[in-house]
Amino acid sequence: MNWMGYLQQLGRSLMIPTIALPVAAVFLSLGALPWESAGLGNLGSLFVFSGDMIFTYLPFMFAVGVALGLTSNAGIAGLSALLSYFLLTQITQTYMQPQLQMGVTGGIVIGILTALSYHRFSNIQLPEYIQYFGGPRFVPIFVGTATIFLSLVIIAVGPAVEQTIEWLGEMLLSLGGFGAFIYGTAYRLLVPSGLHHILNNVYWFQIGTFERADGTTVFGDLPRFFAGDPEAGIFMAGLYPIMMFALPAIALAIIQEAREDLKPKIRKTFLTAALACFLTGVTEPIEFAFLFVAPVLFFIHSILSGLSMWIAYELGIHHGFSFSAGLLEFIINGHLSTRGLWLIPIGLVFGITYYVLFRWAIRRFQLPTPGREEGSPLEEWAGDIRYRSPLILQALGGKNNIKTIEACITRLRLTLQDDKLIDTAALKHLGAAGVIRLGGGNVQVVFGTFSELIREEIIKVTRTDLQQVLFSSPVQGRMIPLDEVPDQVFSRKIVGNGVAFIPERGELVAPVAGKVIHIYPTMHAIGLQTENGLDVLLHIGIDTVQLQGKGKWFTAVVQEGDEVIPGQLLVKFNLTKVRQNAKSLATPMLITNAERIKSWSFAPFKAVKKGQGAVMSVVLKEEAAAVGGQSDD
């Protein structure tokens, strides 16, 4: 059993119900405004009541959210979870004395029970005369029945479980500042795997209790903070200096240490990332910029995050948030904080410390952070998502390799048939900050805040029967658009459509599987035909036909009629001689029968390696795909 995969999916599922929490925070903040002085006192109490109701029904949202998250948003699972949690609460409240307050924990248990039931029974076959209740309709029947027995178990062992949970909470709280340090460090260390959501759920929704004026009890640091508990907020306050100051300081250090020629692009990218982190607390775009190139630095960052939590605790600072520790929540929730303004000078100290530390480390150890080498994995390309997504899909091994695909704020979460089919280099070329393999086919690909949009585009592709053809890079060098080729025959796409490359080595390899149908006498150009009937022309340099193969500058290592595979060597050439004697090194890769193509997708125009996958993808027209398929039989 792949526990890491299940934990990854559970961690994502726990994020779904929290989407409603910022709404509650805004309502409570509006309720704190002086409405009475304006003669609108009832409006203030209405906002407070509305915010409190969201927290009151938070367990129901967790039950439904976890069930949906673990079943790929199956509506019947959400409905079953809602029914089940309602039954659980009503049965235990009626037949159990004293009543057990299960809170969010009960919602999570019901969500998991419902998801397991859905996966086991959603395809069940019953006798024909009662098959109406088979399949997905059987899920609420089974879950409802199972909930009755679960309620009986809870009534029997509930008091002991409640005492154990209370003991655990008291033990963690008794650790004081050191406990906050442990949480802050562990939280940051778990961010790369995405399992920090599970840890957060324990601290934010389980530890500690507070009884409100109406007699109801709330659990966890986060709900207690918004319920007005003056002791709450100790597991959130210390995150503000890190997210508002420390991580933006890392972004500034990366900008300052970038090469001068790349600094404008890096400045735009990381100032955007720093602003997003400062305002909303979204940290991954910055953290993943150095996580893979300097893991030791990330460990130090985790220790410093824990230290920030410890300092905030020792200074008696209590502050909280509904989503993340950014400026917006710092202001919105300030009316509930205790000594919250102290977080500003603490944050400034951390910001300076991080800036100096990271600039020194990047320079001292020559860390290849974005901007210090050709090509940055984090850059603005939102407008290209539609075109890059098919390439991303191919770099993930194709649609047949994907079992499940989900997205959280900054990453794709995938379960693959075979994670060895992933082309990591191609994914980074397409904008991924990093790839995390969790075993059992479970993979996370960090694309920043565009992840959800990428997921939607990939799903669109996987739900179609369009035939795609993927092209690799035929050379090592730099990829350029056709309109930059200094020859109008190519730049105006008279011969065909495609891309071009500026080679850095004298080797030309096959960009796609197919048959060699023509080798020019001078060997400066070669023609391939794919199994789909696409005619592909590879032309080394511009005006190289005039060289007449002088001095054996071009040597073909294949013959006409040969079958080739992607990455197979086709032609060797003297790069130095061609550079000196040809008009340009630009090497077009064209599809000469472009009328067969429905749509084109291109990777970013930057450095590529020989044989690197997913630099271009085309979708065939339906009639072209049909003809290609018939010709193979």
Side-chain angles (χ1 to χ4, degrees):
M1 182 176 292
N2 183 15
W3 288 105
M4 183 60 73
Y6 289 129
L7 289 175
Q8 176 190 218
Q9 193 174 7
L10 177 61
R12 177 196 170 275
S13 300
L14 293 174
M15 279 292 293
I16 296 176
T18 61
I19 295 173
L21 293 182
V23 180
V26 171
F27 285 166
L28 293 175
S29 178
L30 291 174
L33 296 177
W35 297 102
E36 293 183 1
S37 60
L40 298 171
N42 290 336
L43 187 57
S45 62
L46 177 59
F47 279 126
V48 172
F49 176 80
S50 301
D52 286 341
M53 282 300 99
I54 293 177
F55 283 103
T56 298
Y57 289 97
L58 192 60
F60 286 88
M61 288 186 279
F62 268 89
V64 175
V66 169
L68 292 175
L70 294 176
T71 59
S72 300
N73 298 319
I76 194 68
L79 177 62
S80 300
L82 183 63
L83 167 66
S84 180
Y85 190 74
F86 178 78
L87 285 174
L88 179 67
T89 55
Q90 294 303 309
I91 292 174
T92 54
Q93 288 176 11
T94 303
Y95 294 97
M96 186 176 185
Q97 295 296 332
Q99 294 181 359
L100 176 64
Q101 300 287 340
M102 291 174 291
V104 167
T105 302
I108 295 173
V109 170
I110 290 299
I112 295 174
L113 172 64
T114 304
L116 293 174
S117 302
Y118 176 84
H119 289 301
R120 176 63 180 83
F121 298 112
S122 60
N123 294 315
I124 190 172
Q125 296 287 328
L126 298 177
E128 185 176 353
Y129 52 87
I130 56 171
Q131 179 54 34
Y132 175 82
F133 297 104
R137 295 187 183 91
F138 186 77
V139 175
I141 297 174
F142 177 84
V143 173
T145 305
T147 300
I148 295 176
F149 290 98
L150 175 63
S151 301
L152 295 176
V153 173
I154 290 176
I155 291 173
V157 303
V161 173
E162 186 174 29
Q163 290 176 4
T164 303
I165 294 175
E166 289 179 356
W167 172 83
L168 177 62
E170 291 174 359
M171 185 271 291
L172 292 173
L173 289 172
S174 67
L175 294 176
F178 183 65
F181 168 79
I182 293 175
Y183 163 70
T185 303
Y187 166 55
R188 194 56 56 193
L189 287 173
L190 287 173
V191 164
S193 67
L195 301 182
H196 58 296
H197 298 310
I198 297 177
L199 179 70
N200 290 343
N201 184 267
V202 174
Y203 280 86
W204 292 352
F205 297 104
Q206 313 296 333
I207 294 179
T209 61
F210 175 68
E211 186 174 333
R212 291 188 290 198
D214 60 1
T216 59
T217 302
V218 293
F219 300 85
D221 202 47
L222 193 152
R224 289 192 294 118
F225 174 78
F226 285 100
D229 184 355
E231 299 300 320
I234 59 174
F235 295 114
M236 295 182 284
L239 295 176
Y240 277 105
I242 300 300
M243 296 182 179
M244 289 175 56
F245 296 94
L247 284 161
I250 295 175
L252 294 179
I254 290 174
I255 293 172
Q256 291 300 106
E257 292 301 322
R259 285 171 23 194
E260 289 300 322
D261 59 324
L262 296 177
K263 189 170 288 186
K265 181 174 66 175
I266 297 300
R267 182 183 296 113
K268 177 183 177 182
T269 299
F270 279 89
L271 283 180
T272 301
L275 183 61
C277 187
F278 178 70
L279 292 177
T280 67
V282 176
T283 65
E284 281 92 334
I286 298 175
E287 288 179 314
F288 281 95
F290 68 91
L291 167 62
F292 298 100
V293 298
V296 174
L297 208 55
F298 187 83
F299 178 77
I300 295 173
H301 164 52
S302 301
I303 297 296
L304 290 175
S305 296
L307 182 61
S308 176
M309 298 287 293
W310 197 342
I311 292 173
Y313 180 91
E314 295 298 339
L315 293 178
I317 301 172
H318 299 261
H319 209 319
F321 48 79
S322 61
F323 171 71
S324 192
L327 177 65
L328 297 179
E329 295 239 33
F330 181 83
I331 296 173
I332 291 174
N333 305 323
H335 65 287
L336 296 171
S337 68
T338 302
R339 308 185 74 186
L341 290 178
W342 276 94
L343 294 172
I344 302 298
I346 294 173
L348 290 172
V349 171
F350 269 88
I352 294 172
T353 301
Y354 268 68
Y355 179 77
V356 173
L357 171 64
F358 272 75
R359 286 206 67 179
W360 172 81
I362 292 171
R363 188 175 301 177
R364 173 67 176 80
F365 301 105
Q366 293 298 304
L367 301 178
T369 50
R372 292 178 61 81
E373 59 180 3
E374 190 67 38
S376 168
L378 292 172
E379 59 181 341
E380 289 295 338
W381 48 277
D384 293 339
I385 288 177
R386 179 182 176 186
Y387 306 103
R388 293 197 196 186
S389 294
L391 295 170
I392 293 171
L393 174 61
Q394 294 296 335
L396 291 171
K399 65 181 182 180
N400 293 330
N401 194 38
I402 295 179
K403 296 171 66 176
T404 64
I405 177 170
E406 300 292 346
C408 64
I409 299 171
T410 58
R411 68 190 85 185
L412 294 178
R413 297 172 180 262
L414 304 119
T415 302
L416 305 176
Q417 297 284 356
D418 184 0
D419 58 10
K420 294 180 181 179
L421 297 179
I422 289 181
D423 189 337
T424 302
L427 287 171
K428 291 184 177 180
H429 183 64
L430 290 164
V435 178
I436 304 170
R437 300 172 187 263
L438 300 174
N442 295 282
V443 177
Q444 297 179 2
V445 186
V446 183
F447 280 108
T449 52
F450 299 129
S451 297
E452 180 61 36
L453 295 176
I454 294 172
R455 172 185 172 273
E456 292 177 0
E457 290 296 329
I458 288 178
I459 288 177
K460 291 179 183 178
V461 175
T462 58
R463 288 177 176 174
T464 65
D465 294 325
L466 298 177
Q467 190 165 355
Q468 290 183 297
V469 182
L470 178 69
F471 289 80
S472 303
S473 173
V475 300
Q476 177 164 317
R478 182 166 55 89
M479 178 173 160
I480 62 174
L482 274 186
D483 56 17
E484 293 185 11
V485 175
D487 187 307
Q488 292 187 0
V489 172
F490 295 114
S491 63
R492 292 185 178 181
K493 304 177 183 179
I494 296 174
V495 177
N497 196 2
V499 294
F501 303 85
I502 305 297
E504 295 176 351
R505 293 184 181 179
E507 294 179 329
L508 181 78
V509 301
V512 67
K515 178 186 293 186
V516 179
I517 58 174
H518 187 65
I519 300 176
Y520 285 74
T522 54
M523 301 185 190
H524 74 287
I526 189 169
L528 306 176
Q529 187 174 69
T530 71
E531 62 178 7
N532 314 97
L534 295 180
D535 295 329
V536 181
L537 172 65
L538 300 166
H539 193 285
I540 304 172
I542 302 301
D543 289 346
T544 44
V545 66
Q546 299 178 5
L547 302 179
Q548 296 296 316
K550 188 184 299 181
K552 298 289 185 179
W553 292 350
F554 302 93
T555 304
V557 297
V558 293
Q559 299 178 355
E560 292 183 358
D562 286 354
E563 296 285 344
V564 296
I565 61 175
Q568 182 175 337
L569 183 63
L570 301 176
V571 177
K572 292 183 178 180
F573 58 96
N574 190 318
L575 181 69
T576 302
K577 293 291 186 180
V578 175
R579 179 187 289 114
Q580 292 174 349
N581 294 276
K583 181 178 179 180
S584 170
L585 278 176
T587 299
M589 177 177 72
L590 308 174
I591 297 177
T592 57
N593 52 348
E595 69 277 359
R596 299 169 62 90
I597 305 302
K598 179 178 180 180
S599 64
W600 304 74
S601 298
F602 301 101
F605 294 102
K606 57 182 184 181
V608 293
K609 295 181 179 180
K610 180 183 66 177
Q612 178 174 311
V615 298
M616 183 177 82
S617 176
V618 298
V619 175
L620 302 181
K621 294 179 180 179
E622 293 184 7
E623 60 271 19
V627 171
Q630 292 171 1
S631 64
D632 293 335
D633 293 334

